[in-house]
mmCIF file of all heavy atoms in Angstrom:
data_model
loop_
_atom_site.group_PDB
_atom_site.id
_atom_site.type_symbol
_atom_site.label_atom_id
_atom_site.label_comp_id
_atom_site.label_asym_id
_atom_site.label_seq_id
_atom_site.Cartn_x
_atom_site.Cartn_y
_atom_site.Cartn_z
ATOM 1 N N GLU C 411 28.497 -13.820 71.238
ATOM 2 C CA GLU C 411 29.439 -12.964 71.146
ATOM 3 C C GLU C 411 30.234 -12.828 72.568
ATOM 4 O O GLU C 411 31.442 -12.814 72.605
ATOM 5 C CB GLU C 411 29.129 -11.510 70.853
ATOM 6 C CG GLU C 411 30.171 -10.577 70.630
ATOM 7 C CD GLU C 411 29.606 -9.157 70.314
ATOM 8 O OE1 GLU C 411 28.747 -8.603 71.077
ATOM 9 O OE2 GLU C 411 30.045 -8.553 69.384
ATOM 10 N N MET C 412 29.436 -12.706 73.582
ATOM 11 C CA MET C 412 30.080 -12.697 74.986
ATOM 12 C C MET C 412 30.814 -13.905 75.241
ATOM 13 O O MET C 412 31.865 -13.825 75.738
ATOM 14 C CB MET C 412 28.923 -12.388 76.083
ATOM 15 C CG MET C 412 29.569 -12.236 77.480
ATOM 16 S SD MET C 412 28.242 -11.871 78.605
ATOM 17 C CE MET C 412 28.274 -10.094 78.556
ATOM 18 N N ASP C 415 34.151 -13.733 73.487
ATOM 19 C CA ASP C 415 35.058 -12.825 74.106
ATOM 20 C C ASP C 415 35.688 -13.441 75.293
ATOM 21 O O ASP C 415 36.859 -13.275 75.622
ATOM 22 C CB ASP C 415 34.420 -11.449 74.494
ATOM 23 C CG ASP C 415 34.089 -10.740 73.187
ATOM 24 O OD1 ASP C 415 34.736 -10.890 72.198
ATOM 25 O OD2 ASP C 415 33.130 -9.789 73.313
ATOM 26 N N LEU C 416 34.903 -14.162 76.112
ATOM 27 C CA LEU C 416 35.308 -14.845 77.332
ATOM 28 C C LEU C 416 36.444 -15.941 76.967
ATOM 29 O O LEU C 416 37.274 -16.135 77.712
ATOM 30 C CB LEU C 416 34.176 -15.479 78.135
ATOM 31 C CG LEU C 416 33.217 -14.465 78.754
ATOM 32 C CD1 LEU C 416 31.914 -15.152 79.440
ATOM 33 C CD2 LEU C 416 33.980 -13.555 79.804
ATOM 34 N N THR C 418 38.343 -15.932 74.429
ATOM 35 C CA THR C 418 39.644 -15.411 73.759
ATOM 36 C C THR C 418 40.250 -14.335 74.724
ATOM 37 O O THR C 418 41.280 -13.704 74.417
ATOM 38 C CB THR C 418 39.387 -14.771 72.471
ATOM 39 O OG1 THR C 418 38.382 -13.879 72.554
ATOM 40 C CG2 THR C 418 39.043 -15.720 71.394
ATOM 41 N N GLY C 419 39.543 -13.987 75.885
ATOM 42 C CA GLY C 419 40.147 -13.115 76.847
ATOM 43 C C GLY C 419 39.951 -11.653 76.444
ATOM 44 O O GLY C 419 40.496 -10.710 77.016
ATOM 45 N N ARG C 420 38.999 -11.339 75.499
ATOM 46 C CA ARG C 420 38.695 -10.032 75.163
ATOM 47 C C ARG C 420 37.684 -9.460 76.154
ATOM 48 O O ARG C 420 36.928 -10.188 76.690
ATOM 49 C CB ARG C 420 38.079 -9.823 73.850
ATOM 50 C CG ARG C 420 39.122 -10.037 72.566
ATOM 51 C CD ARG C 420 38.547 -10.447 71.293
ATOM 52 N NE ARG C 420 37.601 -9.542 70.658
ATOM 53 C CZ ARG C 420 37.673 -9.106 69.444
ATOM 54 N NH1 ARG C 420 38.732 -9.625 68.644
ATOM 55 N NH2 ARG C 420 36.820 -8.316 68.991
ATOM 56 N N THR C 421 37.613 -8.116 76.289
ATOM 57 C CA THR C 421 36.585 -7.605 77.184
ATOM 58 C C THR C 421 35.289 -7.604 76.531
ATOM 59 O O THR C 421 35.085 -7.075 75.456
ATOM 60 C CB THR C 421 36.958 -6.078 77.449
ATOM 61 O OG1 THR C 421 38.329 -6.149 77.983
ATOM 62 C CG2 THR C 421 36.070 -5.487 78.568
ATOM 63 N N PRO C 422 34.329 -8.232 77.069
ATOM 64 C CA PRO C 422 32.970 -8.156 76.558
ATOM 65 C C PRO C 422 32.281 -6.867 76.400
ATOM 66 O O PRO C 422 32.600 -5.998 77.187
ATOM 67 C CB PRO C 422 32.189 -9.202 77.376
ATOM 68 C CG PRO C 422 33.167 -9.912 78.311
ATOM 69 C CD PRO C 422 34.336 -9.021 78.408
ATOM 70 N N ALA C 423 31.293 -6.755 75.454
ATOM 71 C CA ALA C 423 30.616 -5.422 75.281
ATOM 72 C C ALA C 423 29.864 -4.944 76.453
ATOM 73 O O ALA C 423 29.581 -3.729 76.702
ATOM 74 C CB ALA C 423 29.725 -5.558 74.014
ATOM 75 N N SER C 424 29.394 -5.942 77.319
ATOM 76 C CA SER C 424 28.687 -5.495 78.570
ATOM 77 C C SER C 424 29.210 -6.499 79.621
ATOM 78 O O SER C 424 29.902 -7.423 79.414
ATOM 79 C CB SER C 424 27.200 -5.599 78.411
ATOM 80 O OG SER C 424 26.803 -6.830 77.985
ATOM 81 N N PRO C 426 29.687 -9.195 82.200
ATOM 82 C CA PRO C 426 29.249 -10.578 82.299
ATOM 83 C C PRO C 426 28.969 -10.974 83.764
ATOM 84 O O PRO C 426 28.422 -12.104 84.002
ATOM 85 C CB PRO C 426 30.344 -11.370 81.710
ATOM 86 C CG PRO C 426 31.567 -10.491 81.974
ATOM 87 C CD PRO C 426 31.170 -9.133 81.907
#
Side-chain angles (χ1 to χ4, degrees):
E411 181 185 53
M412 184 175 269
D415 288 340
L416 292 175
T418 54
R420 284 161 64 134
T421 306
S424 59

